[in-house]
Amino acid sequence: MPTEALPTRTPTETAENVRSGFVTALIGHGAVIFGLVAFTFISHKLDPHWGEADPTAGAIQASAVNSLPLPPKQRFKENSVLTSDKPSIAPTPPPPTPAPPTKADPVKPKTEPPPKPNEILIPNKVTPPKPTPTKPAETEQPVAPKHPTPPPPPTPKATTGDSAGVQIPQSITPLKNGTASLTVQDRVFGDRYAYYVRLIAQKINQQKAQDQDPPESKGKRATIHFVIDRDGTPTDVTVETRSGSSALDTSTERAIQRIDTFGPLPSGDHLPVTFVWDSH
C-alpha cells in the first residue's frame, strides 16, 4: 500500500537569531555615542567659555548688603482669626478625674498626729450650786366620798284597814269594756320575771272580757287581792276595795276564781297580786 509523506515544520536556526540581535544592539550604542559627541561639539561652538576654569564663567553674581527692608505690616480684621495680632487664650483643660480606688489598693485613712502636751485643755473644776430648799406643798386632805342614799324599799301592803299601800301597776291592758291593771307585791320578782306577770294579766283579761258589766257599774273601780301558790293556783281571792256595785265586784272576783292555774312560780313559794278593774 503506498504511503503519503506529510509536510513537517522546519526549525528556525538559533545562530541566525543571535547574530541579528547583536548587530542591532551594536548599531544602537553607536548612535548614542555619536549623538553625545555631536552635542558636545555644537555646545562648545555656541559658548566659547564652556568648560574653562574662569570663576566668573557660568556662576551667579551676588552682592552683600547691610539690611533688607521688612515687608509692610499686614492689615488684620477683628473677626479674622489668621490676621489677629492678639491671639485668644486657649481654654484651660479640666483637671484629670482621679481613678476610683480598687480593691487591690484600699484607701488608707489619714491619721492625724497626736496632740502636743501643751495643746490638751484641762477643764476647770466647776462646783455645782447648792440646791435651795423648798417648802413642801401643802397636801389637801382627801375628802371621804359621799355614799349615795339607797332608795327606800317599797311600801308593804297596809296591815290595817281596807286600803292597800301605794303600788305602781306593772301591767295595764285596755279592753273593750274596761281597763285592767295588775300589780305584784314583790317588785324584785316583777322586774326579774316580767314574762310571768304578763302571763297572769293575759289569763285574767281573757276571763274578764267574757263578762258583761251592768250599766250602773260604768265609771267604777273594783280592786281584787289574791295569792298565787307555788304550783300557780290562785288562792285567798278577796275584794280589797269595793266599787259600790256588788255586781261589778262579784264578776271581777269570779273571773279570777275561774282560772285553774297560772303555771308554777319561777321563784318563791307564793306571790301576792292585786288586780284593779275600771269599768267603762
Side-chain angles (χ1 to χ4, degrees):
M1 181 177 181
T3 59
E4 182 178 1
L6 298 175
T8 57
R9 184 179 179 181
T10 57
T12 306
E13 296 182 0
T14 306
E16 294 180 359
N17 294 335
V18 173
R19 186 181 302 163
S20 60
F22 178 75
V23 172
T24 303
L26 183 61
I27 294 173
H29 284 81
V32 173
I33 295 171
F34 177 76
L36 290 176
V37 173
F39 176 76
T40 303
F41 180 77
I42 294 171
S43 298
H44 182 69
K45 291 293 183 179
L46 295 177
D47 187 6
H49 301 287
W50 185 83
E52 294 182 2
D54 189 2
T56 59
I60 299 173
Q61 184 178 1
S63 300
V65 295
N66 294 330
S67 62
L68 295 175
L70 295 176
K73 188 175 182 181
Q74 186 180 3
R75 296 180 182 180
F76 65 93
K77 297 180 180 179
E78 295 292 337
N79 297 330
S80 178
V81 177
L82 298 177
T83 60
S84 176
D85 290 343
K86 299 178 181 180
S88 59
I89 301 174
T92 305
T97 304
T102 59
K103 295 183 179 180
D105 299 330
V107 179
K108 297 182 180 180
K110 296 182 179 180
T111 56
E112 298 182 356
K116 297 179 180 179
N118 56 357
E119 294 180 355
I120 301 175
L121 298 178
I122 301 175
N124 297 328
K125 185 177 181 181
V126 179
T127 304
K130 296 181 179 181
T132 305
T134 56
K135 295 181 180 181
E138 296 180 359
T139 58
E140 298 181 358
Q141 296 295 333
V143 180
K146 295 181 180 181
H147 297 284
T149 304
T155 305
K157 182 181 178 181
T159 56
T160 58
D162 296 334
S163 61
V166 179
Q167 294 288 335
I168 300 176
Q170 294 182 339
S171 176
I172 300 175
T173 306
L175 300 176
K176 62 180 181 179
N177 55 348
T179 302
S181 301
L182 182 69
T183 304
V184 295
Q185 300 296 328
D186 190 356
R187 296 296 303 274
V188 177
F189 181 92
D191 295 339
R192 183 175 299 178
Y193 306 103
Y195 74 94
Y196 192 82
V197 176
R198 291 193 297 269
L199 179 62
I200 298 171
Q202 181 180 0
K203 290 191 174 185
I204 296 176
N205 295 339
Q206 290 176 356
Q207 296 295 329
K208 188 58 182 172
Q210 299 176 5
D211 297 338
Q212 295 293 333
D213 296 334
E216 64 272 10
S217 64
K218 290 183 179 181
K220 295 183 179 181
R221 171 179 292 183
T223 304
I224 308 300
H225 178 73
F226 63 97
V227 177
I228 300 177
D229 292 341
R230 175 66 179 171
D231 58 353
T233 305
T235 60
D236 299 336
V237 181
T238 58
V239 179
E240 185 174 342
T241 304
R242 298 187 178 277
S243 62
S245 172
S246 58
L248 179 62
D249 297 340
T250 303
S251 63
T252 305
E253 184 179 5
R254 288 179 180 177
I256 299 174
Q257 291 173 348
R258 287 195 298 265
I259 300 173
D260 295 334
T261 179
F262 294 102
L265 292 176
S267 177
D269 294 335
H270 63 280
L271 178 66
V273 182
T274 300
F275 179 75
V276 178
W277 175 259
D278 294 324
S279 179
H280 295 170

